[in-house]
Amino acid sequence: MNIILLGPPGAGKGTQAARLELHRGMVQLSTGDMLRQAVAQGTPVGLQAKAVMEAGELVSDAIVSALIGERLDPLGDKGAIFDGYPRTRAQAEALDLLLSERGRKLDYVIELEVDEEALVERITGRFSCGKCGAPYHDQFKLPKVDETCDVCGAHEFKRRPDDNQKTVRTRLAEYRAKTAPILPYYQERDLVRPIDGMAPVDAVALAIDAILDGAA
Ligand code: ADP
Ligand code: ADP
Ligand code: ZN
């Protein structure tokens, strides 16, 4: 099974992808994570992407599609969860080609429907484990034990430099202008399954499970 989690920044894509990895043995392919890694390592891609990401704009289609292509090859028979990709029509078309070249097909595009004002709150309160990357939130998901990661027990956490008020607005505008318009591309093929992304994390997870199990 190969699925896309589609939704604006802060919709809960990473949170749900982490859960699907844990429970279904699928593999999360997050272009945001790949780009942040490239920036941290100072690779040529990272050097090109850094300022664009800090501004909240989109990195070039060619760069992100190449990153996805590299990660698809070693997947074997594991399913892919595309998180934060595709974000433009050109990326959607590139993904179709990448998948068909590997004899894979897209099963669902799960659209997380959310309210924009809530997203600003979600993004500005977001932090994650410095060791394993597990996602947390200042209000909605604090670690069970103070300053200790639920998943790996680490005590260090990090925040993204682009998770600030100003950049968030640009990222939401980019989503509206370039990413939301790819929905019809998938609606034509009856792949889109909208769900309520404003529900609590566990309820969103149940809705996704129902779709993947063919019950919705
Ligand atoms: P995305 O990957 O779509 O940008 P994340 O999964 O990182 O979004 O979620 C953004 C922030 O909102 C995180 O801090 C996360 O803990 C929190 N969050 C995710 N899903 C929900 C939810 N259903 N309700 C409340 N907060 C959530
Ligand atoms: P979020 O889901 O919170 O918006 P991501 O981690 O997916 O954040 O992306 C962070 C930044 O990385 C984006 O604002 C953009 O600059 C860049 N980026 C990630 N994925 C893509 C993509 N598919 N196409 C273009 N730029 C991307
Ligand atoms: Zn951790």
Side-chain angles (χ1 to χ4, degrees):
M1 178 123 36
N2 301 290
I3 65 170
I4 294 174
L5 294 180
L6 193 75
K13 304 180 297 293
T15 299
Q16 297 300 331
R19 193 180 154 282
L20 290 169
E21 278 201 321
L22 208 63
H23 294 290
R24 292 187 180 253
M26 298 175 78
V27 178
Q28 174 189 20
L29 299 178
S30 158
T31 41
D33 287 346
M34 293 171 201
L35 290 168
R36 278 185 288 280
Q37 198 184 357
V39 170
Q41 293 173 346
T43 67
V45 163
L47 293 175
Q48 244 181 295
K50 188 167 188 280
V52 179
M53 294 172 76
E54 276 169 6
E57 289 161 8
L58 294 186
V59 173
S60 83
D61 292 331
I63 287 183
V64 292
S65 294
L67 288 172
I68 287 286
E70 285 166 21
R71 298 297 176 100
L72 277 175
D73 288 324
L75 275 191
D77 44 9
K78 289 189 179 148
I81 309 158
F82 298 99
D83 164 7
Y85 177 91
R87 266 170 148 97
T88 63
R89 172 73 181 235
Q91 291 178 26
E93 288 170 1
L95 177 59
D96 278 341
L97 192 64
L98 288 169
L99 289 173
S100 70
E101 284 167 353
R102 292 164 178 79
R104 287 178 174 266
K105 75 170 182 40
L106 209 49
D107 293 282
Y108 298 109
V109 176
I110 297 179
E111 182 195 3
L112 294 164
E113 295 184 307
V114 280
D115 158 310
E116 270 209 15
E117 281 317 300
L119 294 179
V120 176
E121 194 179 28
R122 277 198 194 173
I123 293 173
T124 51
R126 165 161 66 185
F127 64 98
S128 62
C129 173
K131 192 168 165 214
C132 77
Y136 295 97
H137 192 279
D138 291 328
Q139 279 153 275
F140 309 127
K141 192 175 183 355
L142 283 167
K144 293 191 178 94
V145 177
D146 213 23
E147 314 223 344
T148 307
C149 175
D150 296 349
V151 179
C152 76
H155 301 293
E156 269 164 45
F157 296 90
K158 58 180 190 228
R159 286 179 196 265
R160 283 169 44 180
D162 59 340
D163 279 350
N164 60 68
Q165 288 271 358
K166 180 163 179 286
T167 308
V168 166
R169 299 282 171 192
T170 308
R171 287 157 60 197
L172 290 172
E174 287 281 70
Y175 181 82
R176 250 182 276 123
K178 296 173 185 162
T179 308
I182 66 179
L183 275 164
Y185 181 75
Y186 293 118
Q187 275 155 348
E188 275 165 24
R189 286 143 66 184
D190 191 27
L191 292 177
V192 180
R193 300 291 180 276
I195 57 173
D196 177 14
M198 294 307 296
V201 173
D202 291 344
V204 176
L206 284 177
I208 295 175
D209 282 339
I211 292 165
L212 301 192
D213 294 335

